């Protein structure tokens, strides 16, 4: 057996008495053995000798492990299904290859909601009997703060974006706002709805709370005073089961038992569109993509729907109701979970970003080697950067073809080699400059490739990226990658604001009144 007193380094060898080693071997080889009895018979201290221990493959049977400290231990392949773990310490223990887990124990009844703060420093959990806890999210201890106030089941919680506030709602029809660092209540007992509260969220700036209730309404609240803001949002024909703010705080999405999704103006409560219909069961979960351009919803009909305006794509994989769905921070994945005990990660194709490239016979081998490596680079593939090639020699109307390609490109690579400096005299570069002055796109990235880069480049090549061939000097190549990625990232940022009519495309063109 190996042991370490620090969970951070569980592989420090420790010499144990021969009797203890024999007993531990028996534990591994004897299915369902009474681990606690054997451990104590071997003279091992449950509170000290199992920290960082290698216990892979042990069947703990129905052993009472109260008082055992398994911090940093490797429990890969262990059977803990029948063991009593009420006061066992599992900080930093491993359950599988490279997988650590920490069991947080404190609830006495079923847990109905759980959430991480945005920075991961805290975990909130709520459940039956008004139980509400804030845990240390750094996974270095099982320290928690018990928050008391709710008189019935706590059914929903949410953290503010910066993580300093947590709001909770429950079957007692009340909302409460908490200071995460102290556990003190900031706004107490907002009697929010005529029946239980099913969902809650905080605006990105933490100034407002939105709640959805069994009475079929949404309500807005001032987070600093607890005062109700305006009249209830009415539209759902049954319980409101989920609510969420858009990333910019301008919109609210909700889903309910009436099988619809609805979009609201976060300031006025006015509906922004007709109800989004498609699910054949209650809508249990809704989330905006990070840039606010899409929605994902999970339903009792066992499906998810990815919404782009009023149209949606069905994602089928669950076998029972889908309770939770969320986007990854980059917006390219969705994670969902449901009553079928499955957690499914869905990979979405990121939007393609087109880069304009011209081809010419001169220096073509060099260009092709550069471009092949360029567009196969992981950073380019992650952003789904694709090559838009125009061959003026084969195109009967190169100016027209160039304009179309340039207008749809985030960047234009003008690659000049030793033999085709005259390339700069052709019209595509001037056309790109005209479009850039008019629309801001594409970003012009001139490149000079050669087997011998001039020490003093001519004035005509000022501002060019110099890439020496063959590509055995990575600095210049990496600089070119960075330039293209920067152009792509700036384009994506420009479309984050769905109210930006110049660049923003929100759900769809027929939703202009709703999303800008």
């Amino acid at each position: 057996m190996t042991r370490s007193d620090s969970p951070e380094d569980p592989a420090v060898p420790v010499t144990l008495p021969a009797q203890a080693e024999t007993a531990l071997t028996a534990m591994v080889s004897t299915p369902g053995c009474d681990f606690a009895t054997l451990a104590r018979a071997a003279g091992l201290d449950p509170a000290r000798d199992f920290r960082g221990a290698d216990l892979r493959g042990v069947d703990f049977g129905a052993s009472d492990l109260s008082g055992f400290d398994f911090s940093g231990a490797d429990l890969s392949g262990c059977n803990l299904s029948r063991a009593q773990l009420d006061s066992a310490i599992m900080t930093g223990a491993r359950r599988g290859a490279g997988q650590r887990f920490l069991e947080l124990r404190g609830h006495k009844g079923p847990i109905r909601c759980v959430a991480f703060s945005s920075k991961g420093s805290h975990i909130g959990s709520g459940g039956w009997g008004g139980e509400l806890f804030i845990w240390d999210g750094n996974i270095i201890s099982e320290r928690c703060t018990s928050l008391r106030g709710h008189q019935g089941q706590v059914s929903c919680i949410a953290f503010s974006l910066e993580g300093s506030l947590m709001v909770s709602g429950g079957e007692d029809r009340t909302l409460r706002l908490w200071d995460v660092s102290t556990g003190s209540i900031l706004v107490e007992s907002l009697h929010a709805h005529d029946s239980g509260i099913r969902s809650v969220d905080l605006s990105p700036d933490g100034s407002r709370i939105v709640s959805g209730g069994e009475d079929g309404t949404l309500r807005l609240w001032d987070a600093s005073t607890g005062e109700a803001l305006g009249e209830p949002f009415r539209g759902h024909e049954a319980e409101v089961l989920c609510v969420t703010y858009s990333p910019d705080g301008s919109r609210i999405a909700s889903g309910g038992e009436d099988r619809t999704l609805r979009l609201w103006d976060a300031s006025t409560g006015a509906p922004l569109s007709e109800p989004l219909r498609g699910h054949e069961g209650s809508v249990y979960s809704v989330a905006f993509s990070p840039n606010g351009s899409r929605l994902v919803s999970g339903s009792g009909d066992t499906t998810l729907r990815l919404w782009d305006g009023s149209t949606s794509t069905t994602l089928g994989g669950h076998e029972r109701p889908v309770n939770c769905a969320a986007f990854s921070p980059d917006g390219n994945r969705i994670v969902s979970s449901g009553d079928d005990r499955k957690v499914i990660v869905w990979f979405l194709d990121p939007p393609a970003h087109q880069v304009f490239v011209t081809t010419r016979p001169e220096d073509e081998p060099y260009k092709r080697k550069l471009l092949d490596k360029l567009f196969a680079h992981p950073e380019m593939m992650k952003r789904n950067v694709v090559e838009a090639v125009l061959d003026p020699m084969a195109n009967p109307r190169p100016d027209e073809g160039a304009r179309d390609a340039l207008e749809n490109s985030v960047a234009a690579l003008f690659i000049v080699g030793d033999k085709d400096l005259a390339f700069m005299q052709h019209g595509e570069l001037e056309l790109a400059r005209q479009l850039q002055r008019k629309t801001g796109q594409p970003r012009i990235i001139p490149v000079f490739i050669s087997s011998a880069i001039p020490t003093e480049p001519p004035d005509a090549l000022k501002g060019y990226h110099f890439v020496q061939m063959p590509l055995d000097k990575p600095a210049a190549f990496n600089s070119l990658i960075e330039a293209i990625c920067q152009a792509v990232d700036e384009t994506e940022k420009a479309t984050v604001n769905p109210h930006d009519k110049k660049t923003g495309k929100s759900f769809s063109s027929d939703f202009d009144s709703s999303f800008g």
Side-chain angles (χ1 to χ4, degrees):
M1 185 181 93
T2 61
R3 181 178 66 82
S4 167
D5 288 337
S6 169
E8 299 300 320
D9 183 12
V12 178
V14 174
T15 301
L16 294 175
Q19 181 184 4
E21 290 287 0
T22 301
L24 286 173
T25 301
M27 293 177 198
V28 176
S29 60
T30 307
C33 68
D34 189 330
F35 184 93
T37 300
L38 286 174
R40 290 187 172 95
L44 299 175
D45 183 352
R48 181 178 60 83
D49 287 332
F50 294 95
R51 298 173 188 164
D54 183 352
L55 298 171
R56 288 173 292 181
V58 172
D59 182 348
F60 286 90
S63 301
D64 183 356
L65 302 178
S66 301
F68 277 74
D69 186 349
F70 294 110
S71 299
D74 189 345
L75 303 176
S76 304
C78 291
N79 181 4
L80 289 164
S81 60
R82 294 185 297 131
Q84 300 178 48
L85 300 169
D86 287 345
S87 62
I89 299 173
M90 299 285 187
T91 306
R94 297 180 187 272
R95 279 299 292 271
Q99 179 185 18
R100 293 180 183 270
F101 78 106
L102 171 64
E103 294 194 10
L104 304 177
R105 295 182 173 271
H107 284 274
K108 294 182 173 63
I111 300 169
R112 292 304 183 202
C113 51
V114 65
F116 257 112
S117 62
S118 59
K119 296 180 181 178
S121 58
H122 294 91
I123 299 168
S125 61
W128 281 20
E131 291 182 332
L132 183 61
F133 293 93
I134 295 178
W135 308 83
D136 180 357
N138 292 317
I139 314 299
I140 57 175
S141 73
E142 297 181 57
R143 184 176 68 252
C144 69
T145 302
S146 177
L147 311 179
R148 302 188 180 277
H150 285 285
Q151 299 303 309
Q153 174 179 293
V154 179
S155 53
C156 50
I157 56 175
F159 285 93
S160 60
L161 187 61
E162 85 289 350
S164 64
L165 306 174
M166 187 180 77
V167 62
S168 59
E171 292 297 322
D172 60 2
R173 309 180 185 182
T174 69
L175 290 171
R176 287 172 166 79
L177 187 67
W178 309 86
D179 183 310
V180 171
S181 61
T182 65
S184 60
I185 193 164
L186 300 175
V187 177
E188 186 171 2
S189 193
L190 300 180
H191 291 277
H193 291 265
D194 294 334
S195 52
I197 299 171
R198 298 297 301 270
S199 185
V200 67
D201 196 18
L202 275 156
S203 62
D205 63 5
S207 66
R208 293 187 173 194
I209 301 169
V210 62
S211 58
E214 295 174 359
D215 58 7
T217 69
L218 288 79
R219 297 294 306 267
L220 281 184
W221 309 88
D222 186 308
S224 61
T225 66
E227 294 180 359
L229 300 173
E231 295 297 316
F233 297 9
R234 301 186 185 278
H236 283 284
E237 299 173 0
E239 294 184 15
V240 178
L241 304 177
C242 50
V243 295
T244 186
Y245 270 97
S246 62
D248 65 359
S250 67
R251 295 160 288 155
I252 293 170
S254 61
E257 276 194 342
D258 59 2
R259 305 180 180 183
T260 69
L261 284 167
R262 296 172 190 256
L263 295 157
W264 314 83
D265 184 299
S267 299
T268 67
L272 292 174
S273 69
E274 292 297 316
L276 303 180
R277 303 182 186 276
H279 282 296
E280 297 178 0
S282 299
V283 179
Y284 292 128
S285 179
V286 62
F288 279 97
S289 61
N291 67 0
S293 65
R294 294 192 285 182
L295 282 170
V296 64
S297 55
S299 169
D301 64 9
T302 75
T303 72
L304 290 91
R305 283 184 177 264
L306 180 62
W307 299 87
D308 187 350
S310 57
T311 61
S312 65
T313 302
T314 301
L315 305 178
H318 286 282
E319 299 169 2
R320 299 190 66 186
V322 181
N323 298 321
C324 307
F327 279 93
S328 62
D330 62 8
N332 294 333
R333 289 162 294 163
I334 292 170
V335 64
S336 62
S337 62
D339 284 356
D340 57 3
R341 303 181 183 180
K342 291 181 181 178
V343 176
I344 299 178
V345 178
W346 310 83
F347 292 87
L348 309 177
D349 290 331
H353 297 285
Q354 183 171 292
V355 171
F356 175 88
V357 180
T358 58
T359 63
R360 296 180 186 279
E362 298 85 353
D363 293 299
E364 184 62 25
Y366 272 1
K367 287 183 183 179
R368 195 65 261 160
K369 287 180 182 179
L370 173 63
L371 293 171
D372 286 347
K373 186 173 182 180
L374 198 66
F375 288 96
H377 192 278
E379 289 298 321
M380 302 280 275
M381 296 181 71
K382 182 173 73 174
R383 292 167 173 82
N384 202 12
V385 181
V386 298
E387 184 179 357
V389 178
L390 176 72
D391 184 351
M393 301 302 181
N395 195 321
R397 302 184 65 184
D399 290 345
E400 183 177 325
R403 176 176 289 277
D404 180 66
L406 285 164
E407 283 182 340
N408 292 286
S409 297
V410 298
L413 289 181
F414 289 101
I415 304 176
V416 177
D418 289 327
K419 301 177 182 177
D420 61 355
L421 284 174
F423 164 72
M424 290 183 292
Q425 299 174 5
H426 290 269
E428 290 92 339
L429 181 56
E430 181 55 34
L431 183 58
R433 286 173 175 158
Q434 291 175 10
L435 289 170
Q436 188 182 55
R437 287 192 292 267
K438 182 179 179 181
T439 67
Q441 293 281 30
R443 179 172 178 178
I444 298 171
I445 305 176
V447 183
F448 180 80
I449 58 173
S450 173
S451 59
I453 298 299
T455 305
E456 293 292 334
D459 290 342
L461 296 178
K462 294 295 185 184
Y464 274 61
H465 285 267
F466 293 94
V467 179
Q468 188 159 343
M469 302 295 288
L471 294 168
D472 54 0
K473 294 184 179 180
F477 178 77
N478 292 339
S479 175
L480 181 56
I481 291 286
E482 291 175 6
I484 299 172
C485 290
Q486 184 179 5
V488 172
D489 294 344
E490 288 174 353
T491 301
E492 288 187 335
K493 287 179 182 178
T495 61
V496 166
N497 183 357
H499 300 283
D500 185 347
K501 293 204 181 248
K502 180 179 178 182
T503 58
K505 293 182 180 178
S506 39
F507 285 103
S508 66
S509 58
D510 61 332
F511 265 42
D512 283 345
S513 61
S514 304
F515 297 96

